[in-house]
C-alpha cells in the first residue's frame, strides 16, 4: 500500500489570467466604494489575496491598475448599460428612455446608489493626471458618439428630424451624469425619472428647428 503525498497547504494554482481578473475586480470595487486615492496598494493586495510581486507583475504601478480598470471595466460598463441598449432600440429616444428607467428600477431594487462608475472616477481623477483625463474623456466621447449616430440613423429613416444629434447626445449624457450624482447624494433613484421627464420635454415640435434657423437667417423687418 502506497501513501499518497498530501497537497501542500496554501499551494496556489498557476492561473495568471484568473489572478489578474481578481485584482481588477477588487480594484474596481474599491475605487467605486472608497475612491482611488483612499485605496492603498496594501489594501488591494490584502483584499485580492495576492503578493506584491504577483500584483506588480500584471500592474507595475497603481496608476497602471487604475487605467486598466478604466479601459476594461468602466468602458465595458458604459457599453453594456448605455451603448448596446441604445443601438438596439427602435430609436435613440426610446433607447435613452429605456436606459434611464432600467437603471432607476435596478437602483430602487438594490436599495442604495453608489453612482455612475465613469462619473465617480471622472470627478476624482480628471485633474489628477492627464492620462486619466484622456482615458475618461475617450469613454465619454464614445458614449456621446453612439447616441448621436443612432439619432442620425433615425433621421435617415424620417424620424426625429428636428433634433441636433450632437446636442441631444451631449444633453443626454449630461442629464444622466448629473442625475446619478444627485441620486448618489440623496440616495434616491427617483431623480433619474425626474431628469428623464425633463429630457423628453426637450424634444422639438415638428418644424421647430427649421423655423428657428429661418429666423436667424432672414433679416428682421425694420419698424418705421
Amino acid at each position: 500500500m502506497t501513501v499518497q503525498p498530501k497537497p501542500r497547504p496554501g499551494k496556489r494554482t498557476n492561473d495568471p489570467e484568473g489572478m489578474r481578473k481578481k485584482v481588477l475586480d477588487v480594484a474596481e470595487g474599491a475605487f467605486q466604494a472608497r475612491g482611488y486615492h483612499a485605496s492603498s496598494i496594501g489594501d488591494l493586495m490584502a483584499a485580492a489575496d495576492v503578493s506584491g510581486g504577483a500584483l506588480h507583475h500584471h500592474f507595475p504601478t497603481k496608476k497602471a491598475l487604475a487605467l486598466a480598470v478604466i479601459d476594461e471595466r468602466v468602458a465595458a460598463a458604459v457599453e453594456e448599460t448605455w451603448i448596446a441598449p441604445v443601438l438596439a432600440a427602435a430609436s435613440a429616444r426610446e433607447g435613452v428612455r429605456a436606459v434611464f428607467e432600467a437603471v432607476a428600477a435596478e437602483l430602487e431594487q438594490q436599495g442604495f446608489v453608489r453612482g455612475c462608475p465613469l462619473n465617480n472616477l471622472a470627478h476624482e481623477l480628471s485633474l489628477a493626471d492627464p492620462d486619466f483625463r484622456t482615458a475618461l474623456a475617450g469613454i465619454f466621447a464614445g458614449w456621446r458618439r453612439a447616441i448621436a449616430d443612432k439619432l442620425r440613423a433615425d433621421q435617415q429613416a424620417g424620424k426625429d428630424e428636428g433634433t441636433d444629434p450632437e446636442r441631444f447626445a451631449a444633453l443626454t449624457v449630461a442629464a444622466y451624469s448629473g442625475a446619478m450624482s444627485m441620486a448618489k447624494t440623496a440616495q434616491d433613484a427617483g431623480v433619474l425619472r425626474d431628469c428623464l421627464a425633463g429630457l423628453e420635454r426637450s424634444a422639438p415640435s415638428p418644424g421647430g428647428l427649421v423655423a428657428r434657423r429661418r429666423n436667424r437667417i432672414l433679416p428682421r423687418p425694420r419698424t418705421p
Side-chain angles (χ1 to χ4, degrees):
M1 176 177 172
T2 59
V3 178
Q4 296 295 327
K6 295 181 179 180
R8 282 195 227 164
K11 186 176 180 181
R12 295 183 179 179
T13 305
N14 185 19
D15 182 12
E17 284 306 311
M19 182 179 294
R20 185 179 187 278
K21 179 180 181 300
K22 186 176 183 181
V23 172
L24 280 174
D25 288 341
V26 167
E28 179 188 13
F31 294 164
Q32 293 302 320
R34 298 193 301 274
Y36 170 80
H37 294 294
S39 302
S40 71
I41 285 292
D43 291 338
L44 298 176
M45 287 167 48
D49 190 25
V50 298
S51 66
L55 187 147
H56 287 98
H57 172 73
H58 295 287
F59 309 104
T61 64
K62 185 181 175 184
K63 175 180 173 179
L65 175 56
L67 286 171
V69 168
I70 292 169
D71 292 340
E72 299 178 34
R73 297 303 178 82
V74 178
V78 172
E79 173 71 32
E80 180 181 354
T81 302
W82 264 101
I83 295 177
V86 168
L87 295 181
S91 70
R93 287 189 182 275
E94 289 181 35
V96 168
R97 182 185 309 117
V99 172
F100 267 85
E101 292 176 346
V103 172
E106 181 180 351
L107 293 176
E108 287 167 348
Q109 183 177 11
Q110 179 176 277
F112 64 92
V113 183
R114 185 173 285 179
C116 168
L118 176 58
N119 219 26
N120 289 344
L121 290 179
H123 286 167
E124 183 180 10
L125 299 180
S126 290
L127 296 180
D129 185 285
D131 292 332
F132 288 146
R133 183 166 62 251
T134 298
L136 294 163
I139 300 175
F140 274 114
W143 183 2
R144 290 176 57 179
R145 185 166 56 250
I147 296 172
D149 287 348
K150 178 66 174 180
L151 185 53
R152 288 191 188 94
D154 295 343
Q155 292 173 342
Q156 290 177 355
K159 296 183 289 186
D160 220 336
E161 295 178 335
T163 302
D164 183 296
E166 296 295 338
R167 291 181 177 178
F168 175 73
L171 178 60
T172 298
V173 172
Y176 179 80
S177 298
M180 286 295 282
S181 292
M182 290 189 290
K184 179 180 178 181
T185 302
Q187 286 299 298
D188 180 6
V191 69
L192 281 159
R193 293 193 172 91
D194 294 338
C195 288
L196 173 61
L199 185 63
E200 291 188 320
R201 282 196 294 270
S202 71
S205 58
L209 184 60
V210 175
R212 286 196 297 275
R213 285 177 175 167
R214 186 181 298 119
N215 287 339
R216 288 199 296 267
I217 295 171
L218 296 178
R220 294 181 181 179
R222 295 183 179 178
T223 55

